[in-house]
Amino acid sequence: NLWHGGRGRSGGRGAPRSEFPTRVSLALDAGETMCEDGTDRAVVCVHFAGGCCTEGARCQFLHRAPLGEDERRLGGGVDCFGRERHARERPDMRGTGCLLKPNKSLYVNYAGTFPGQGAPPAIVRVEELTRRDFGEFGPIAGIHVVPSKTLVFVRYYWRCSAEFAKEAMHARVLQGAPAGALPLAVRWAFEDPNP
């Protein structure tokens, strides 16, 4: 229903995922911009995180992965991209995160990442690919693979690393996945009370 924030069935849970055409590579894409690093207004470019900033060195935002200092400097009211965070968790666990519950954990659905391989891939292989791709965006505190549900939970040390990784990896394919692999679905996870 349009009036109550609902959507039609075409964008629902069972809808096929489509891959974003761009992807950030910090080794190749990070660099100096017009933004003065360390100032109160310095935030990371959300288009850079998605691998599609067309401004390059003329961009008014940072082109690098966020650091722990950025999280402390920006405070809890905004994410690393300068967007206001929600007062409550959204039911679909998307968006900028919850103001009242700082979250450092991501839910990653990798269903369809290993098509046509018969038996599911080894947990070690899934963890290795996840650590390599998600580890680029900040220090990882832990990875938990649930092969029976094709899920991976990635927990970072810094909230801003999780925010960046969520934008950078949603609807992207894991590097090293076989041809024809479906893109990942990345959302916020509920924090584990016993990490």
Side-chain angles (χ1 to χ4, degrees), residues 125-147:
R125 176 76 175 139
V126 173
E127 185 175 340
E128 172 191 314
L129 291 175
T130 303
R131 188 171 300 278
R132 187 186 65 216
D133 281 11
F134 283 79
E136 179 179 12
F137 310 121
I140 293 177
I143 293 177
H144 178 68
V145 181
V146 184

Side-chain angles (χ1 to χ4, degrees), residues 157-182:
Y157 284 108
W158 302 325
R159 185 193 81 230
C160 60
S161 297
E163 293 165 348
F164 189 90
K166 183 178 165 297
E167 290 295 327
M169 291 302 295
H170 178 68
R172 279 29 177 235
V173 174
L174 283 173
Q175 293 178 357
L182 290 178

Side-chain angles (χ1 to χ4, degrees), residues 17-188:
R17 295 187 301 238
S18 56
E19 181 180 358
F20 282 176
T22 59
R23 181 186 176 126
V24 69
S25 169
L26 292 178
L28 299 173
D29 301 332
E32 294 291 321
T33 61
M34 302 282 289
C35 184
E36 291 185 40
D37 204 350
T39 63
D40 290 341
R41 296 173 47 118
V43 294
V44 177
C45 177
V46 69
H47 301 293
F48 167 75
C52 60
C53 183
T54 59
E55 297 296 314
R58 296 171 301 166
C59 188
Q60 299 296 315
F61 303 99
L62 300 173
H63 281 198
R64 64 167 174 76
L67 306 170
E69 297 90 59
D70 297 323
E71 189 172 312
R72 288 187 289 280
R73 179 177 46 80
L74 292 170
V78 295
D79 67 2
C80 67
F81 305 108
R83 304 175 300 189
E84 289 186 7
R85 296 174 64 215
H86 305 294
R88 292 186 200 96
E89 291 173 335
R90 288 179 44 167
D92 63 1
M93 299 304 278
R94 296 185 185 183
T96 57
C98 179
L99 181 64
L100 301 175
K101 293 182 184 176
N103 198 341
K104 303 174 188 175
S105 299
L106 298 175
Y107 159 105
V108 181
N109 183 335
Y110 67 91
T113 299
F114 301 95
Q117 293 194 350
I123 292 175
V124 176
R125 176 76 175 139
V126 173
E127 185 175 340
E128 172 191 314
L129 291 175
T130 303
R131 188 171 300 278
R132 187 186 65 216
D133 281 11
F134 283 79
E136 179 179 12
F137 310 121
I140 293 177
I143 293 177
H144 178 68
V145 181
V146 184
S148 62
K149 299 192 182 285
T150 62
L151 297 177
V152 178
F153 294 93
V154 181
R155 193 174 70 252
Y156 284 92
Y157 284 108
W158 302 325
R159 185 193 81 230
C160 60
S161 297
E163 293 165 348
F164 189 90
K166 183 178 165 297
E167 290 295 327
M169 291 302 295
H170 178 68
R172 279 29 177 235
V173 174
L174 283 173
Q175 293 178 357
L182 290 178
L184 304 173
V186 183
R187 299 182 192 148
W188 292 111

